[in-house]
Amino acid sequence: MEEQPLSNGQDTAICQNRIIRVGTRKSQLARIQTDSVVEMLSQRFPEAKFEIVAMSTTGDKILDTALSKIGEKSLFTKELETALEKNEVDLVVHSLKDLPTTLPLGFTIGAICKRENPHDAVVFHPCNAGKMLSSLPEKSVIGTSSLRRAAQLKKKFSHLDFRDIRGNLNTRLRKLDENNEFSAIILAAAGLRRMGWENRIGQVLHPEDCMYAVGQGALAVEVRANDQDILNMVSVLHDPETVLQCIAERAFMKQLEGGCSVPVAVTSTVKDSQLYLTGAVYSLDGSDSLKETMQTGVDLKLQQDGDGPDDDIQHVCITAKNVPHKALTAAETLGINLANLLLSQGAKQILTVARQLNDSR
């Protein structure tokens, strides 16, 4: 990640003689991700002391129901945000894709770290090692907890049977290896890489096969919006290009009123001061879909004034103090405009039907 300069001498003084409590989920992957954020902060603020507070969330406790059926918008965040509200922790580390596009009043995403590989990956049962999804036998069972993945892959690989699988990364891999129910499972490549299990990836799904989830592969640091000391501290972790991509993606999702109960997918990239965003919506079986791409100019070389009237403006609940405000606004507008384009083509009807069918299953 590109080094960001400390904004002023006060940043160092903020952290002296203070224990900074960091909230996280208890899973092994969540701890690895949190440890990586704490390590980056420790390098920048060696005088600070960090204490990790791990807890279970609703999504961790309910393992016998598909995520899309639970209907809770903050499955993996609610308990952590309660601790943040009660000042039991000072910041919380999340996978950005777990964070709703609207946060509770008083909270903001104070940092988004450089994105890991955002694509989905296929992990095959050992007996299918060396195969691809296209070469699996008819009616092979593929495990995924995501409507987005299933909707896209059902259409492309119609010979396969997609079924729900729940649990953390360790649990799902154990179910794959030991139960012989699944021929393969679909997981985020980023999580496998962070766990050191890249060797389990049998196939990476590129956008032509499966576009990824909003915010997938990025880590977010959530803080109290009025805690300027912590907000200033974590802001050094922002990766500007990742911030712009994720703002555009989250604005797209928010304008569509999407979530885990409907199949919405994206891809985005920044190249030559242009931000490109592709967004799509799908029916549950993938037979009906809309997909479009738009772009906008984003100049990251503009100087950010800092401490000005735009400095603490949130863009889809993200506060990015060290990224030019014009670029942030352009990214958010891009996401909104792309969503409006799809809505004008009938996206609302596709998503409404998908939501109703999912609720009735």
Side-chain angles (χ1 to χ4, degrees):
M1 188 176 74
E2 182 179 341
E3 285 289 308
Q4 300 289 341
L6 294 178
S7 59
N8 53 55
Q10 291 180 334
D11 285 336
T12 301
I14 287 169
C15 306
Q16 288 180 344
N17 302 316
R18 177 176 178 178
I19 296 177
I20 298 169
R21 295 154 300 176
V22 183
T24 181
R25 291 165 61 191
K26 285 184 175 180
S27 74
Q28 184 182 357
L29 176 59
R31 288 300 304 266
I32 287 173
Q33 293 177 163
T34 300
D35 287 346
S36 71
V37 170
V38 169
E39 176 62 25
M40 286 188 285
L41 288 173
S42 297
Q43 290 176 0
R44 301 304 306 276
F45 303 96
E47 66 288 340
K49 296 180 180 179
F50 295 92
E51 177 183 298
I52 294 178
V53 180
M55 59 193 76
S56 296
T57 67
T58 301
D60 296 312
K61 296 170 184 174
I62 304 176
L63 297 177
D64 57 353
T65 306
L67 295 178
S68 59
K69 299 286 287 183
I70 298 172
E72 173 62 64
K73 291 184 178 180
S74 52
L75 286 172
F76 297 107
T77 63
K78 188 174 182 179
E79 288 79 2
L80 293 163
E81 287 173 338
T82 297
L84 193 59
E85 183 179 26
K86 292 180 177 180
N87 293 303
E88 294 171 354
V89 296
D90 300 298
L91 57 100
V92 177
V93 179
H94 302 280
S95 293
L96 181 60
K97 68 186 180 75
D98 291 339
L99 278 174
T101 53
T102 300
L103 299 182
L105 188 65
F107 297 151
T108 189
I109 298 169
I112 298 180
C113 305
K114 186 174 179 62
R115 197 173 208 167
E116 177 59 91
N117 184 333
H119 300 293
D120 290 313
V122 187
V123 178
F124 292 92
H125 187 282
C127 72
N128 293 315
K131 293 184 179 179
M132 306 284 276
L133 286 180
S134 59
S135 61
L136 287 175
E138 191 87 12
K139 300 300 181 183
S140 293
V141 178
I142 311 300
T144 174
S145 59
S146 164
L147 294 180
R148 170 191 58 82
R149 290 167 180 155
Q152 295 179 80
L153 295 173
K154 280 177 183 177
K155 185 174 183 180
K156 190 167 183 71
F157 304 100
S158 58
H159 67 294
L160 302 177
D161 181 12
F162 292 87
R163 297 183 192 173
D164 191 69
I165 184 171
R166 284 293 317 281
N168 60 36
L169 222 54
N170 309 62
T171 300
R172 280 180 277 178
L173 284 171
R174 186 168 62 251
K175 288 180 179 179
L176 171 68
D177 292 340
E178 296 178 3
N179 293 358
N180 294 318
E181 176 184 356
F182 299 99
S183 297
I185 59 176
I186 315 294
L187 301 167
L192 290 164
R193 288 167 63 96
R194 289 177 180 134
M195 291 284 279
W197 295 340
E198 194 169 6
N199 65 317
R200 290 302 308 265
I201 296 177
Q203 180 179 358
V204 174
L205 297 174
H206 295 293
E208 57 268 24
D209 293 324
C210 189
M211 292 165 59
Y212 46 80
V214 167
Q216 185 160 308
L219 298 182
V221 182
E222 187 178 13
V223 301
R224 293 180 290 273
N226 63 357
D227 192 339
Q228 289 298 317
D229 288 351
I230 296 296
L231 191 53
N232 287 335
M233 181 186 73
V234 301
S235 67
V236 303
L237 300 181
H238 271 309
D239 177 72
E241 289 193 0
T242 302
V243 169
L244 295 179
Q245 290 175 273
C246 292
I247 284 177
E249 293 171 16
R250 285 171 62 83
F252 173 74
M253 172 77 87
K254 183 177 182 180
Q255 190 71 5
L256 287 175
E257 298 182 352
C260 65
S261 61
V262 289
V264 175
V266 295
T267 62
S268 64
T269 186
V270 178
K271 184 177 180 181
D272 298 328
S273 296
Q274 291 287 311
L275 171 60
Y276 299 85
L277 176 66
T278 299
V281 300
Y282 301 88
S283 60
L284 289 189
D285 63 0
S287 61
D288 198 5
S289 65
L290 290 170
K291 182 169 75 170
E292 294 285 356
T293 300
M294 295 181 73
Q295 69 187 81
T296 190
V298 286
D299 190 352
L300 287 170
K301 296 179 182 178
L302 290 173
Q303 291 297 312
Q304 181 77 331
D305 294 335
D307 299 323
D310 297 333
D311 207 31
D312 287 335
I313 291 178
Q314 293 189 31
H315 299 269
V316 273
C317 297
I318 297 169
T319 302
K321 289 174 170 285
N322 55 352
V323 181
H325 178 66
K326 287 184 179 179
L328 298 172
T329 301
E332 184 171 13
T333 301
L334 175 65
I336 293 170
N337 288 344
L338 182 59
N340 285 337
L341 176 60
L342 292 188
L343 288 169
S344 73
Q345 297 173 354
K348 185 174 183 179
Q349 178 65 15
I350 293 175
L351 295 178
T352 298
V353 171
R355 190 176 283 110
Q356 291 171 343
L357 286 174
N358 180 59
D359 290 343
S360 66
R361 290 192 310 183

